[in-house]
Amino acid sequence: MLSPTKLNEQHDNPFISTPVLDHTAVIEPDLDLTGQSTTRPTPVVPVADHNTLPPVQTTSTYTGEDTLDEPVTVTIMRDLTKVANKLLQVLHPNGDRNVLRDWDLWGPLLLCLTLAILLSVQAPDKQAVPIFTGVFVIVWMGAAIVTLNSKLLGGAVSFFQSVCVIGYCLFPIIVSAIVTTFVKIIWIRLPITIVSFIWSTYASVGFMSESQVHLENRRALAVYPLFLFYFIISWLVLIS
């Protein structure tokens, strides 16, 4: 502690600089007897910014089906139900045409196998295997060629969707093949086969016409392969 004499000397001496008080310095808070601070911190008031927008809450929902834990029988029944709905839609082509937009190849595969089995059963033993193989190849190669022709002409339908439509539209011809398996009279087989051929062609053209709107004068080039495809299969059904 400085004595009063030294304090007077510092005050009278002009060469001793007087310390400048810094008002911005941090003042330690007072402590009470318990050692705790008696100075309360000044609360910070948030300033509202009118230029900022409130946060937008976004919610995402999963609309798909979780099929990982379901039984196999449930999955098979659901797929068979979809196949049945599409077959009914082929029998009523002027209905909801968006059903076949959700394409699958299970239905065309089942129809192709059914047709190949029906035609091979009616054939002699030595020709059963070649007929089964030939029908299977004709159906899938024909569907692929018709789809490729439509794509080259500028059709907007996807490849697998076109194959799906062509395969499902075989259903009337397969119904006629089932009838002709038990009916051998040509005058009954012929009209049934003709009706099934017209029905299959009309259904396929109706389903695929929406994707061929912009083909203009090339529409006949897109429809003719469909006509030829179903004509060949109907002819095989008739002569089997």
Side-chain angles (χ1 to χ4, degrees):
M1 183 174 179
L2 299 175
S3 61
T5 307
K6 291 184 178 181
L7 287 176
N8 293 332
E9 292 178 356
Q10 291 181 358
H11 187 267
D12 297 335
N13 192 352
F15 297 99
I16 298 177
S17 59
T18 304
V20 181
L21 295 179
D22 187 1
H23 298 284
T24 61
V26 179
I27 302 175
E28 295 183 356
D30 298 333
L31 296 177
D32 59 2
L33 296 178
T34 60
Q36 297 181 355
S37 175
T38 58
T39 305
R40 296 181 180 180
T42 304
V44 179
V45 180
V47 180
D49 189 359
H50 299 286
N51 296 326
T52 60
L53 297 176
V56 179
Q57 296 181 355
T58 58
T59 57
S60 59
T61 57
Y62 176 71
T63 58
E65 298 180 358
D66 187 6
T67 60
L68 295 177
D69 299 331
E70 69 179 11
V72 178
T73 55
V74 176
T75 304
I76 294 176
M77 292 303 299
R78 184 180 64 252
D79 293 339
L80 291 178
T81 302
K82 292 181 179 180
V83 170
N85 292 333
K86 292 175 182 178
L87 292 178
L88 292 177
Q89 188 58 42
V90 171
L91 297 178
H92 188 258
N94 294 328
D96 186 10
R97 296 181 177 179
N98 294 325
V99 174
L100 291 180
R101 291 184 181 274
D102 184 16
W103 61 268
D104 68 271
L105 299 180
W106 288 111
L109 178 61
L110 293 176
L111 295 176
C112 179
L113 290 175
T114 303
L115 180 62
I117 292 172
L118 290 174
L119 296 183
S120 61
V121 166
Q122 303 178 51
D125 294 338
K126 295 182 179 180
Q127 300 179 2
V129 175
I131 289 178
F132 181 90
T133 306
V135 171
F136 195 87
V137 172
I138 288 174
V139 170
W140 288 105
M141 290 297 295
I145 292 173
V146 171
T147 302
L148 183 61
N149 176 74
S150 176
K151 295 293 291 182
L152 292 176
L153 292 175
V157 65
S158 65
F159 181 84
F160 290 106
Q161 184 179 355
S162 177
V163 173
C164 173
V165 171
I166 295 172
Y168 272 105
C169 290
L170 285 172
F171 183 57
I173 297 178
I174 293 175
V175 173
S176 67
I178 296 174
V179 175
T180 56
T181 302
F182 303 98
V183 178
K184 302 301 180 181
I185 303 175
I186 188 61
W187 300 110
I188 299 178
R189 295 163 60 101
L190 180 60
I192 293 176
T193 305
I194 292 175
V195 171
S196 63
F197 161 70
I198 296 175
W199 203 320
S200 296
T201 305
Y202 174 74
S204 61
V205 172
F207 284 121
M208 299 183 66
S209 60
E210 296 181 358
S211 63
Q212 300 173 357
V213 174
H214 57 284
L215 293 182
E216 297 177 355
N217 57 348
R218 295 175 294 176
R219 186 182 298 273
L221 296 176
V223 174
Y224 174 73
L226 285 173
F227 176 87
L228 187 61
F229 173 75
Y230 291 116
F231 177 79
I232 293 175
I233 298 178
S234 300
W235 178 256
L236 293 176
V237 172
L238 181 62
I239 65 176
S240 61

